[in-house]
Each structure stands twice: as C-alpha cells, then as structure tokens.
Amino acid sequence: MPLPKCWPSFTKAKGPFDHFLDKILFMNEKSLYIEAKELIESSRHITVIGHLNPDADALGTALGLWSVFKELPKRTDVVFLSRPLPQYLAFLPGFEKIRHSVNPKSDLIVTVDSGSFDRLGIEKPADAKIVNIDHHRSNTGFGDVNIVEPEFASASEVAFKLVERAGWSVKRDSAINFYAALLSDTGFFGYEGVNGRVFDFAKRLLELGADAEWTARMLRENQPLSKLRLLPKALQTLRLYLDARVAGIDVTASMLEESGATVNETDDIVNYARSLATVEVGFLIRDESDGALKVSLRSKSYVDVCEIAQEFGGGGHIRAAGFTVYDLERKVLKERLLKRIEKEL
Ligand code: 5GP
Ligand code: MN
C-alpha cells in the first residue's frame, strides 16, 4: 500500500476528508478528544510508547503522559524499545522507570510523537487498542483513535490538550517533561510554527512548576564528551552542493566508534549543515548498526523535506524529516537524494 501523502497544510487542503487529518481539523475534533479520553479511562493497563532512537519530544511527552496516567486508577507503563536511551536526557523525571518491552497484558497502547507504526519497533498488538498522539504531518493514522495536530510545535502540546480536555491533573513532573519536549522541538522557541499559542502553552507549564532556566541548561549543557569529540569529525566531512544551497554531512560507524558516541548523539549535527548562510537544505547520513543508512533532512525556509523523506519511505515535518534505507550504498543514496532536492530549489 503506498504511504499517504503528507497532509498538505491547513490553507492548501482542498476540502474535508482528502486526508484523515482533515477529519480532525474540519469536522470532528472535539469528539476525537472525547473518544481518546473514554478509551483511556476505561482501560485497565496502559502502555505509553514513543519512537525508536527517541528525542526529547518523544521521551518528554511519553513521561509526561505516564505521570498523568499514574494518578488514574489503572496500571501504566512507559516503554521505549531503544537501548541505550540517550543519557543526556536522563534528567527527565521518571526516566529511570522506562521499560524496554510492552507487557502483553496491556489493553491500550498510547503512542506519542510517532508518525508511523513501524517507528515504534513493536509488533501490532493482537487485542489492545491504539491511541495515536502526534504532530507529524506525515502521520499514517495507524491508531484506533488518531489525535494528530500537524500545526502543533511538539507532541507534548497535543498530549497536554488531551490532558486538559479530559480534566486530568498535571503535576510538576509532567510539566517539566512537557516543557523539555516543547523546548527541544521548537529549537528553543526559534522554529517556524512558534506562535502565541505555543507561548501560552509554555506559560501554563511554568505555572505548573516547570523551570525554564534549568530545563534549557539540562538540554544544552549536559552533553557527554563523546558528542563534542564526534562533532569535528562530522564537520570535516561537510560538503556543499548545488551552488552551496545544499550541505551534507557524513557520520560513519568508525567515527562513532572513535569518539565513543552513540547514534542519538548525532541528533543536532545536521543543524550545522543548515546553519550556513547560503544553505536551504542540510542533510546528514549516518551508518546504523545493522548496515542501514539513516538520513536526516532539514530545510530553512521553502523546501518541503517531509515530502522528500516520504518518497524515500520516511516522513516528518516540513522543515525536519528523515528516512532509513537498507539497500543503497552511501554514494548512490547521496546522488539520488541530491537529484531529488535539486527539483525543489
Ligand atoms: P531526525 O532527522 O531528527 O531523526 O528526524 C526529523 C523528523 O523526522 C522527526 O520528527 C522524526 O520523527 C521524523 N523522522 C525521522 N526519520 C523518520 C522515518 O524514518 N520515518 C518517519 N515517518 N519519520 C521520520
Ligand atoms: Mn516531535
């Protein structure tokens, strides 16, 4: 089955129900939130899970929701399949409670920040229902209930909207997690999509006990040495293409080994490619342990990298997207990618 196209954005949508997300935005938004609340409240054992190689949004949103659900009369687990988890995010409250497998007894899976089911790394549950909470415009709508808000800056914003609508109480631990998720996915309130609603959300989280300075410090100044050791090796590989409108960086298995860095320590290196004055699209190609190549794409102001990533089997957002390939050499992949990017410049 072909993947659905990225949701074309509010202003460009042709009409209701061209895409499953239209249902949320044009018609049925209130009842979807109520459906999710009812499924959650009537379940006995919830598993909250985010995507493989989680970032601060996936971890913060999952841990924030887990803290909320803990107060409800049911069992709740928080699960990420990846091991090891990024240790620089170990400051997130509840991090040490994360499990690495889904308890088969859970009757409801709440997924966060995951645009497609395969990003979770788990088998399709036989009996459990799925509530899909996300903000990726490439979301495939794999849940029984899909709350996907592509205009939202972080998955934590979607989760918080559900929590508020459901009337569940938010403690300080949740506020810290949701705030870290927001700060990270907005590039510290610098990316497109940051608006008054985002600052209202941030303000609510600060009122609920999040600490702005501490969270920013933990996200930025809590890095392992291996990450800084990897950076110059990666930057040495930076090449410019297409009249310097594109910049690409390579991260190889041997660079990871020499620096002692884990794969999630490459997370923001692609931003250096985009940061150059002439560059519209930055990409990073990283060796995965299973021989696959993981590509991260970032654009500055006009190229839709979500659409490009989808054509290679991935997805994401308009200015940040990614995909993984299993059957291409780095050189061939790079050629194909550059050819595809060129069409958008
Ligand atoms: P990153 O490049 O930081 O891994 O990802 C950028 C954005 O694209 C994130 O929102 C991430 O969830 C999404 N993304 C990255 N890789 C994939 C992928 O293989 N499939 C999908 N659907 N989304 C991806
Ligand atoms: Mn996110």
Side-chain angles (χ1 to χ4, degrees), residues 8-316:
S9 111
F10 207 15
T11 47
K12 279 195 262 163
K14 288 191 208 80
F17 307 125
D18 279 357
H19 189 285
F20 84 96
L21 288 176
D22 293 337
K23 191 172 156 195
I24 292 177
L25 287 146
F26 289 98
M27 300 283 293
N28 221 354
E29 192 216 81
K30 272 202 179 120
S31 68
L32 276 172
Y33 278 88
I34 291 164
E35 256 184 84
K37 168 186 158 75
E38 285 171 357
L39 259 180
I40 288 162
E41 288 183 347
S42 62
S43 68
R44 275 167 293 127
H45 186 155
I46 301 179
T47 292
V48 184
I49 185 166
H51 58 79
L52 295 169
N53 295 326
D55 56 4
D57 191 25
L59 283 162
T61 303
L63 288 165
L65 266 186
W66 171 73
S67 294
V68 170
F69 294 163
K70 261 194 328 185
E71 304 301 315
L72 304 177
K74 61 187 79 259
R75 175 163 170 187
T76 308
D77 299 332
V78 56
V79 171
F80 283 87
L81 269 268
S82 286
R83 234 198 268 241
L85 287 168
Q87 286 306 302
Y88 81 100
L89 294 171
F91 74 91
L92 296 172
F95 185 90
E96 70 289 352
K97 295 288 173 27
I98 293 171
R99 295 161 175 266
H100 296 282
S101 64
V102 177
N103 186 319
K105 290 196 178 129
S106 53
D107 56 353
L108 183 68
I109 312 273
V110 176
T111 71
V112 301
D113 200 38
S114 303
S116 55
F117 189 81
D118 60 298
R119 297 265 293 146
L120 303 166
I122 57 169
E123 298 286 317
K124 279 263 182 206
D127 301 317
K129 296 243 182 217
I130 298 175
V131 173
N132 165 10
I133 295 174
D134 189 29
H135 69 135
H136 289 94
R137 53 208 287 279
S138 59
N139 195 293
T140 58
F142 56 83
D144 295 288
V145 178
N146 301 288
I147 303 189
V148 182
E149 302 264 17
E151 307 286 332
F152 278 20
S154 65
S156 71
E157 220 190 324
V158 191
F160 189 77
K161 183 169 164 182
L162 170 63
V163 170
E164 281 217 306
R165 290 205 171 182
W168 302 321
S169 76
V170 179
K171 300 233 161 71
R172 185 159 179 262
D173 279 2
S174 286
I176 294 169
N177 274 303
F178 289 154
Y179 188 84
L182 178 69
L183 203 52
S184 165
D185 254 30
T186 58
F188 295 74
F189 301 115
Y191 292 157
E192 234 174 46
V194 173
N195 54 24
R197 192 203 61 244
V198 168
F199 283 108
D200 282 343
F201 174 42
K203 179 167 177 275
R204 290 277 293 115
L205 295 175
L206 297 182
E207 287 162 358
L208 288 162
D211 179 331
E213 185 275 333
W214 181 79
T215 314
R217 173 152 49 89
M218 294 312 275
L219 283 175
R220 278 195 296 224
E221 295 171 353
N222 183 33
Q223 308 292 346
L225 180 60
S226 49
K227 192 169 169 176
L228 287 198
R229 295 283 192 236
L230 174 65
L231 186 59
K233 294 182 198 295
L235 292 182
Q236 276 299 326
T237 71
L238 189 146
R239 297 281 177 277
L240 293 170
Y241 307 93
L242 300 167
D243 299 326
R245 287 171 297 174
V246 178
I249 292 177
D250 287 302
V251 171
T252 62
S254 60
M255 285 158 57
L256 290 170
E257 200 180 325
E258 285 162 21
S259 56
T262 54
V263 284
N264 41 50
E265 289 168 26
T266 67
D267 275 359
D268 15 291
I269 297 180
V270 65
N271 294 331
Y272 285 93
R274 176 174 59 182
S275 72
L276 290 165
T278 59
V279 166
E280 168 63 19
V281 178
F283 68 85
L284 183 144
I285 304 179
R286 179 182 84 202
D287 280 335
E288 296 284 81
S289 52
D290 58 1
L293 292 168
K294 159 79 210 248
V295 180
S296 289
L297 296 169
R298 298 291 184 272
S299 67
K300 203 178 264 169
S301 65
Y302 62 89
V303 172
D304 182 346
V305 289
C306 177
E307 204 156 308
I308 297 174
Q310 279 226 308
E311 289 178 25
F312 286 88

